């Protein structure tokens, strides 16, 4: 039980870090906003926090599925709390957020699933470099996935939860598609390259 609580705490901090990246991306936008978003992933990797897209490509044992679920839940809870705080304290970011959410709704679940694969692939690459002490790929990986329009399930947890007026069954389906797509993308290396 204590281990599960530790995982949830680590995941919550990771969700907070990614939420901060989301806020700066909403406020600045463009290439600069995408580049500054990288602060979130740098903090996650440096402090070895539990982030869904930084964990999904590295699970091995049966127990890892429970851990991965806890990571996702902790990430989402922190994103929800941060989204609530930001929507209250800085409502001027809401129009930019609505643009992102509406674009996901316009694309639909299949497109968001496919785009999430690209993000998962990039995130696993960046995190692997970070685990080896090479942080430059983290600085490039985040702006690359954002500027490509790829979907990150934890960032989108923040973007979706800050806009309750846009909640719908379709948005939930899109979110689940992104979670699955990120998982697929995070595991492409493992599934295609034999490691011994």
């Amino acid at each position: 039980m204590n281990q599960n609580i530790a995982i949830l705490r680590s995941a919550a901090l990771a969700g907070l870090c990614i939420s901060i990246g989301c806020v700066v991306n909403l406020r600045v936008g463009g290439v600069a906003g995408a580049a500054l978003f990288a602060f979130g992933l740098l903090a996650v990797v440096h402090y070895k926090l539990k982030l869904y897209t930084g964990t999904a490509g590295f699970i091995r044992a049966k127990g890892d599925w429970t851990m991965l679920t806890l990571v996702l839940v902790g990430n989402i809870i922190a994103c929800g709390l941060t989204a609530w705080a930001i929507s209250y304290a800085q409502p001027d970011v809401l129009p930019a957020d609505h643009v992102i959410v509406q674009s996901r709704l316009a694309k639909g679940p299949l497109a968001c699933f496919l785009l999430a694969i690209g993000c998962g692939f990039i995130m696993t690459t960046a995190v692997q470099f970070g685990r080896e002490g090479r942080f430059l790929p983290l600085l490039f990986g985040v702006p690359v996935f954002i500027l490509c329009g790829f979907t990150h399930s934890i960032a989108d947890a923040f973007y979706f939860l800050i806009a309750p007026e846009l909640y719908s069954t379709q948005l939930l389906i899109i979110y689940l598609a992104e979670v699955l797509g990120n998982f697929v993308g995070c595991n492409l290396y493992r599934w295609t390259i034999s490691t011994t």
Side-chain angles (χ1 to χ4, degrees):
M1 188 59 140
N2 287 340
Q3 184 180 8
N4 290 345
I5 291 171
I7 290 168
L8 281 170
R9 286 178 177 170
S10 178
L13 280 174
L16 173 62
C17 292
I18 296 305
S19 295
I20 291 169
C22 291
V23 174
V24 74
N25 189 39
L26 290 175
R27 295 195 69 78
V28 178
V31 175
L36 291 171
F37 190 115
F39 168 83
L41 189 59
L42 283 166
V44 166
V45 173
H46 176 75
Y47 287 105
K48 298 180 176 151
L49 302 175
K50 296 287 187 187
L51 181 66
Y52 176 75
T53 51
T55 306
F58 300 96
I59 63 169
R60 295 288 186 267
K62 281 186 181 179
D64 285 350
W65 290 103
T66 301
M67 182 267 297
L68 188 62
T69 302
L70 287 171
V71 168
L72 182 61
V73 168
N75 290 166
I76 292 170
I77 289 170
C79 287
L81 292 173
T82 309
W84 173 82
I86 294 298
S87 67
Y88 175 78
Q90 296 193 76
D92 58 309
V93 303
L94 294 177
D97 182 78
H98 288 176
V99 170
I100 292 172
V101 178
Q102 293 288 6
S103 74
R104 303 293 196 258
L105 288 166
K107 286 180 175 68
L110 180 58
C112 287
F113 166 77
L114 295 172
L115 294 169
I117 293 173
C119 176
F121 183 76
I122 291 169
M123 288 299 90
T124 296
T125 305
V127 168
Q128 181 59 45
F129 275 104
R131 287 180 173 193
E132 296 169 1
R134 294 181 281 173
F135 290 95
L136 195 58
L138 291 176
L139 290 173
F140 286 109
V142 173
V144 166
F145 93 71
I146 292 173
L147 296 172
C148 284
F150 294 160
T151 55
H152 187 283
S153 59
I154 306 309
D156 277 3
F158 175 87
Y159 294 136
F160 293 176
L161 290 169
I162 203 172
E165 64 278 11
L166 299 177
Y167 291 176
S168 65
T169 302
Q170 184 187 13
L171 196 62
L172 176 60
I173 293 169
I174 287 169
Y175 187 73
L176 294 174
E178 290 180 356
V179 170
L180 182 58
N182 281 165
F183 182 82
V184 171
C186 287
N187 284 280
L188 284 179
Y189 284 114
R190 189 161 62 117
W191 293 339
T192 57
I193 299 173
S194 175
T195 56
T196 54

